Amino acid sequence: MTTYELLSDALRSMRPVAFVTIIEGAGTGSKMLVELDGSSLGSLGDSDLDRVVARDALGELAAGRSSTRHYGSHGEARELDVSVFIESFAAPPRFIIFGAVDFTAALANAAKLLGYVVTVCDARPPFATPQRFKMADEVVCEWPDKYLARVGVELGQRDAVCVLTHDAKFDVPAIVGAVATNVGYIGAMGSRKTHDKRVERLLEAGLSDREIARVMSPIGLDLGARTPEEVAVAICAEIIVLRTNRKPLPLRDTSGPLHLETR
Amino acid sequence: MKEILDAIDRWRATGQRIAVARVVKTEGSSPREAGAAMAVSASGEIAGSVSGGCVEGAVVSAALEVLAGARNRGLISFGYSDDDAFAVGLTCGGTIHLYVEELDW
């Protein structure tokens, strides 16, 4: 198989892979594919350079980041003999929604639009049906804590958990389960009153103030959203803003660059 | 890259030579991030994009030059073009660096 065929096979089967190309210096055009288990295919023409770049590519892949880096011809840091483009094709981030309620379908649609793999999870069989959530990649009928005990270890900074049940019976175990993971975003729906009561229950359940502070609740940016679709936009906007660390205002009323620089 | 695979496979099936341009670095304000990719077939068909439409025409020319052997595989950069109304550049004020090569791998 050619490098292209190996790459397209990985992309089509959504297998995470870093695609490395020398773009400047000796060996321009040389390529290497690095997989999540650290195995690599191809060579940049020097075994030391291969080893160093494969290590860096693995780090970039784990972070879901693509960048151009510079090395000495044997992989030395702080030298500029070769420029290498490391392109990460990470697995799509995950979006887990607890609670098969009115808002769930709209949020699942919005999350799909943003490229997430979406799971809807509810412990009540009549609600957790794939027919109601055709847009979801997965509909799971299970208690949130049990589900998170199973998949929580896979969650990372790019992933999101939204708790829409606003029923203490379900949302306390969902939040307790979510704060035990490294998931990047945890949001919980409910009015300010619901939020206050939920905080009490979370404290009773043994969560620390710091763990509770990870939960965005009431959920979403203050857009004045009312319909399920508008609320879905408010939640997704909050997720984006927490990642980019911006202050959401109309760009007309702010100054500075629109896009953050990438390396 | 993923969004241009179907077009590339179609062109490959007909035995056409193909050039690929990928954004490898951006500075300042730029519409697409590193990894944005565009493929150009020898007959001039195009898939994908690397900017908001500002530099695609110049990238197609560079890609066809690579296929014709008139340009080596390598980097090509586009920056701000306000000073020169006729130069190809990004109207948004940033700079993008692309790596253009034949898909011979």
Side-chain angles (χ1 to χ4, degrees):
Chain A
M1 271 171 111
T2 63
T3 305
Y4 169 76
E5 285 161 352
L6 291 166
L7 175 65
S8 68
D9 180 56
L11 298 189
R12 288 218 159 91
S13 58
M14 296 218 280
R15 197 171 76 244
V17 66
F19 179 42
V20 177
T21 309
I22 297 185
I23 56 171
E24 201 169 25
T28 292
S30 301
K31 293 185 169 59
M32 189 163 72
L33 285 169
V34 181
E35 308 236 3
L36 263 189
D37 63 4
S39 65
S40 64
L41 275 160
S43 173
L44 304 180
D46 179 88
S47 59
D48 289 326
L49 180 63
D50 286 347
R51 186 172 42 77
V52 172
V53 173
R55 181 198 65 198
D56 290 352
L58 204 51
E60 292 294 90
L61 182 58
R65 201 166 45 207
S66 297
S67 66
T68 293
R69 290 167 170 246
H70 310 282
Y71 301 91
S73 51
H74 303 293
E76 299 90 336
R78 290 179 293 281
E79 289 189 26
L80 301 171
D81 296 337
V82 291
S83 300
V84 173
F85 180 47
I86 299 173
E87 184 169 7
S88 291
F89 298 97
R94 298 194 53 178
F95 201 107
I96 300 170
I97 307 172
F98 289 112
V101 299
D102 288 352
F103 291 89
T104 307
L107 183 56
N109 272 324
K112 285 304 293 178
L113 179 67
L114 295 180
Y116 287 92
V117 171
V118 177
T119 299
V120 174
C121 177
D122 195 305
R124 302 164 297 177
F127 292 97
T129 65
Q131 294 75 34
R132 291 185 68 209
F133 303 104
K134 289 199 172 72
M135 74 300 283
D137 295 280
E138 181 186 40
V139 178
V140 181
C141 185
E142 196 170 2
W143 279 81
D145 44 346
K146 286 219 177 92
Y147 178 71
L148 284 172
R150 207 148 53 75
V151 308
V153 66
E154 300 162 10
L155 299 178
Q157 282 307 302
R158 299 160 63 233
D159 304 315
V161 168
C162 291
V163 182
L164 305 188
T165 47
H166 49 54
D167 175 341
K169 190 162 72 214
F170 299 112
D171 66 8
V172 168
I175 293 169
V176 170
V179 297
T181 72
N182 289 323
V183 72
Y185 176 88
I186 306 170
M189 185 173 267
S191 64
R192 294 197 188 278
K193 206 188 270 177
T194 305
H195 167 74
D196 292 341
K197 282 192 211 146
R198 186 160 51 210
V199 167
E200 283 171 32
R201 293 207 177 86
L202 292 171
L203 288 168
E204 282 166 21
L207 293 199
S208 66
D209 290 341
R210 203 167 153 187
E211 286 169 321
I212 292 172
R214 276 181 68 191
V215 183
M216 301 305 291
S217 169
I219 197 169
L221 278 193
D222 185 5
L223 306 182
R226 297 301 296 263
T227 66
E229 291 74 18
E230 289 175 353
V231 170
V233 170
I235 293 170
C236 290
E238 177 168 83
I239 292 172
I240 295 169
V241 138
L242 289 175
R243 188 194 73 219
T244 58
N245 202 20
R246 305 285 277 236
K247 295 260 182 303
L249 289 168
L251 288 165
R252 190 195 63 180
D253 300 338
T254 62
S255 57
L258 301 190
H259 307 289
L260 291 176
E261 289 192 21
T262 56
R263 285 181 301 154
Chain B
M1 191 86 187
K2 196 172 176 181
E3 68 285 357
I4 62 175
L5 294 179
D6 286 346
I8 290 175
D9 286 349
R10 213 164 48 237
W11 299 336
R12 275 165 62 97
T14 63
Q16 282 202 77
R17 290 171 64 209
I18 299 159
V20 174
R22 289 181 284 156
V23 175
V24 297
K25 191 177 177 172
T26 67
E27 292 158 39
S29 192
S30 60
R32 300 287 306 271
E33 294 193 310
M38 189 169 156
V40 180
S41 75
S43 61
E45 289 176 276
I46 299 160
S49 80
V50 291
S51 75
C54 321
V55 303
E56 269 72 3
V59 174
V60 171
S61 304
L64 291 173
E65 283 168 29
V66 167
L67 291 180
R71 172 192 281 273
N72 288 330
R73 63 175 66 217
L75 293 171
I76 177 169
S77 301
F78 297 98
Y80 192 37
S81 64
D82 242 17
D83 296 338
D84 179 352
F86 295 102
V88 174
L90 294 172
T91 50
C92 45
T95 302
I96 61 172
H97 304 278
L98 297 129
Y99 175 73
V100 188
E101 65 179 346
E102 178 171 359
L103 203 169
D104 53 4
W105 33 275

